[in-house]
Amino acid sequence: AQKITQTQPGMFVQEKEAVTLDCTYDTSDPSYGLFWYKQPSSGEMIFLIYQGSYDQQNATEGRYSLNFQKARKSANLVISASQLGDSAMYFCAMGITGGGNKLTFGTGTQLKVEL
Amino acid sequence: KAGVTQTPRYLIKTRGQQVTLSCSPISGHRSVSWYQQTPGQGLQFLFEYFSETQRNKGNFPGRFSGRQFSNSRSEMNVSTLELGDSALYLCASSPSGWNTGELFFGEGSRLTVL
């Protein structure tokens, strides 16, 4: 079974600052993928970034980067230069290679960006 | 390109009734997954359909069922509704698996059971 742990229920960050959202995972499968999704108050889940378990380099997508530390089983999301529009719920998730589109999600972190 | 469309967006039912939710995936996507989101349990996987076949199933009772049609549109049904079924039901589509890491989600159907 897979497990995702997000220990920060809520985070505050000032506009233009960087923020790190924590995510640790647990699985015995050697091949897996890690994801971050953003959920604004409207409810839609928006894909941010993906990291494969065999990827050597940390993934980056614009202002988003994923700090992947395989030995520590962590996949933290770093948002640089925060914007007011980044205020939302953020979910870390994982899927197992060959497991179809069944993802296991963490409990989420509510991020609030302040002026 | 149209996104994932879920209908209805909001609905209210009473205990014991049944409900059917619909999901139209992005054109060309053959996989449709369903998730339930509640404040207490978070996001939980319900099931996944791929080319009209159920490929994966989560740990939900048999009251929760689904199907996928030849045009990839999917429906999920919940029978004998309970108060605890009140949730946001999210549908996600992808071409096949998450090879590139992205599932495309709809805005969800928010079900309230009274």
Side-chain angles (χ1 to χ4, degrees):
Chain A
Q2 296 76 48
K3 186 174 181 181
I4 296 286
T5 302
Q6 294 181 254
T7 58
Q8 304 156 314
M11 291 277 288
F12 289 88
V13 64
Q14 288 209 313
E15 196 180 22
K16 299 179 186 174
E17 297 291 312
V19 62
T20 298
L21 306 184
D22 294 340
C23 172
T24 58
Y25 62 92
D26 190 28
T27 181
S28 56
D29 287 274
S31 184
Y32 51 87
L34 295 156
F35 311 77
W36 278 93
Y37 280 86
K38 170 184 177 182
Q39 188 179 40
S41 55
S42 61
E44 184 179 2
M45 299 285 281
I46 301 168
F47 168 78
L48 297 177
I49 197 166
Y50 160 80
Q51 178 88 38
S53 59
Y54 293 116
D55 293 343
Q56 296 295 316
Q57 302 221 342
N58 286 341
T60 60
E61 291 283 350
R63 295 187 298 111
Y64 305 106
S65 60
L66 198 153
N67 185 358
F68 181 46
Q69 298 188 43
K70 197 170 183 177
R72 298 180 61 183
K73 292 190 174 181
S74 73
N76 298 339
L77 176 71
V78 180
I79 305 175
S80 63
S82 297
Q83 302 171 355
L84 294 178
D86 293 335
S87 295
M89 195 74 163
Y90 288 80
F91 291 95
C92 179
M94 77 178 300
I96 302 304
T97 302
N101 284 322
K102 178 180 181 178
L103 298 187
T104 299
F105 283 84
T107 52
T109 296
Q110 182 72 49
L111 177 66
K112 174 73 173 173
V113 181
E114 301 173 315
L115 289 170
Chain B
K1 195 174 188 181
V4 178
T5 304
Q6 291 188 245
T7 56
R9 291 291 315 281
Y10 303 91
L11 65 167
I12 300 173
K13 293 285 187 179
T14 56
R15 278 180 297 175
Q17 287 187 311
Q18 72 161 10
V19 66
T20 299
L21 308 178
S22 178
C23 173
S24 293
I26 291 172
S27 178
H29 286 193
R30 297 162 65 190
S31 167
V32 173
S33 306
W34 289 89
Y35 290 83
Q36 182 198 61
Q37 186 175 23
T38 61
Q41 300 298 317
L43 275 152
Q44 294 186 287
F45 173 80
L46 280 156
F47 28 65
E48 178 196 4
Y49 287 87
F50 181 79
S51 294
E52 301 179 66
T53 301
Q54 188 179 83
R55 179 157 78 171
N56 275 300
K57 190 176 189 304
N59 296 323
F60 278 82
R63 300 185 297 108
F64 292 81
S65 62
R67 59 178 175 169
Q68 187 179 34
F69 302 95
S70 58
N71 62 358
S72 292
R73 189 177 71 86
S74 177
E75 289 181 347
M76 68 163 282
N77 184 275
V78 188
S79 62
T80 320
L81 284 166
E82 301 176 359
L83 295 178
D85 297 333
S86 294
L88 179 66
Y89 290 88
L90 291 162
C91 165
S93 78
S94 78
S96 56
W98 49 260
N99 296 331
T100 58
E102 187 167 3
L103 292 186
F104 297 82
F105 281 83
E107 291 184 298
S109 292
R110 189 168 293 280
L111 170 65
T112 302
V113 182
L114 301 177

